[in-house]
């Protein structure tokens, strides 16, 4: 059992928002946080515009593939963050749930995905400060 916090990002297709959030959290927190993402109805591939928007800021998520949301993934996570999937995420006692209201990048070009990417980064930075601050000076 790990003592580091674990986060599960969930959106319907696990192709855009949740993939970008997982990539940001992995990029910014490194191994301080266990990161998962999943979708209630996964797409065939990660949104190419999301991949390109993240590549522009030096984060490579080209190897990611959409994954199906499982009860086990939710049970294994300390924090479950939903992004537009509403009631499809199973709820378990003792888990922390957050719902991030974000535009859906599906079918959008990279120009439309950039502001979503940047908003997700800000949300992820706040999440890291909350669940996995660095060192003793983190609370200062």
């Amino acid at each position: 059992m790990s003592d580091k916090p674990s986060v599960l990002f969930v959106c319907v297709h696990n192709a855009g928002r949740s993939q970008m959030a997982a990539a940001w959290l992995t990029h910014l927190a490194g191994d301080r946080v266990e990161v998962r993402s999943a979708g209630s109805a996964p797409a065939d591939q990660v949104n190419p515009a999301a991949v390109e928007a993240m590549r522009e800021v030096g984060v490579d998520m080209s190897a990611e593939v959409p994954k199906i949301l499982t009860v086990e993934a939710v049970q294994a996570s300390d924090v479950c963050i939903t992004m537009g999937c509403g009631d499809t995420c199973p709820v378990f006692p003792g888990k922390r749930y957050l719902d991030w209201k974000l535009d859906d990048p599906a079918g959008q070009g990279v120009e439309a995905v950039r502001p979503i990417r940047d908003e997700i980064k800000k949300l992820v930075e706040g999440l890291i400060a909350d669940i996995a601050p660095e060192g003793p000076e983190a609370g200062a």
Side-chain angles (χ1 to χ4, degrees), residues 2-107:
S2 171
D3 60 352
K4 65 182 169 184
S6 58
V7 176
L8 171 65
F9 294 103
V10 181
C11 67
V12 176
H13 300 297
N14 189 222
R17 295 165 290 186
S18 58
Q19 290 283 355
M20 287 191 288
W24 271 128
L25 184 55
T26 300
H27 180 74
L28 296 171
D31 63 1
R32 298 197 326 266
V33 179
E34 189 176 333
V35 182
R36 297 178 182 87
S37 70
S40 51
D44 293 331
Q45 66 177 18
V46 174
N47 180 335
V51 172
E52 179 57 30
M54 293 300 286
R55 183 178 291 122
E56 290 176 353
V57 293
V59 180
D60 181 9
M61 58 180 225
S62 60
E64 297 300 324
V65 293
K67 295 167 280 303
I68 186 74
L69 176 63
T70 65
V71 168
E72 294 78 17
V74 177
Q75 287 176 320
S77 302
D78 299 314
V79 182
C80 298
I81 300 174
T82 57
M83 305 171 176
C85 64
D87 297 334
T88 61
C89 188
V91 175
F92 293 98
K95 301 290 176 196
R96 180 174 170 197
Y97 292 87
L98 300 172
D99 186 44
W100 290 356
K101 306 285 187 210
L102 296 161
D103 292 335
D104 188 348

Side-chain angles (χ1 to χ4, degrees), residues 119-133:
E119 186 176 353
I120 290 171
K121 181 182 183 192
K122 289 179 190 146
L123 289 166
V124 166
E125 288 170 337
L127 178 69
I128 293 168
D130 184 34
I131 67 168

